[in-house]
Amino acid sequence: MSHRLVSSLGTTDAASAAFSDVAILHAMAEVEVALARAQVVAGVIPARAADSIARAAADVAAFEVDVIARGARTSGTLTIPFVHALTARVAALDADS
């Protein structure tokens, strides 16, 4: 576990855990999987694609946090680099999804 010495001054252990890199990525992955499942119900994407998204999002520890952080500095949001990383993982699992 990495420690951020300066940012640790303005938080509690509970808040630090809730906003850890893994917790943030897990929440973002849950949103993307839920969105994919809703898109299946709406007939926007096939179930196979949603399943591939769920598999790709399952191991948030495998995401490259440093790459997502650098992308966030450029884009101004975590979402764009996270979705790019998730898209790459989906393509690696199932190129047809």
Side-chain angles (χ1 to χ4, degrees):
M1 177 170 128
S2 67
H3 296 281
R4 297 188 175 147
L5 296 175
V6 174
S7 63
S8 68
L9 297 173
T11 191
T12 64
D13 288 343
S16 181
F19 291 99
S20 70
D21 292 342
V22 171
I24 295 292
L25 291 176
H26 180 73
M28 293 179 77
E30 285 184 331
V31 168
E32 293 302 326
V33 171
L35 175 60
R37 299 282 185 224
Q39 288 175 324
V40 169
V41 172
V44 176
I45 65 171
R48 175 180 170 168
D51 292 341
S52 295
I53 291 167
R55 284 195 319 275
D59 182 13
V60 296
F63 283 96
E64 296 180 69
V65 175
D66 292 340
V67 172
I68 293 171
R70 278 193 304 277
R73 286 193 296 270
T74 302
S75 67
T77 179
L78 291 171
T79 304
I80 292 171
F82 176 77
V83 170
H84 285 175
L86 180 59
T87 300
R89 290 179 68 175
V90 170
L93 287 173
D94 183 357
D96 294 330
S97 291

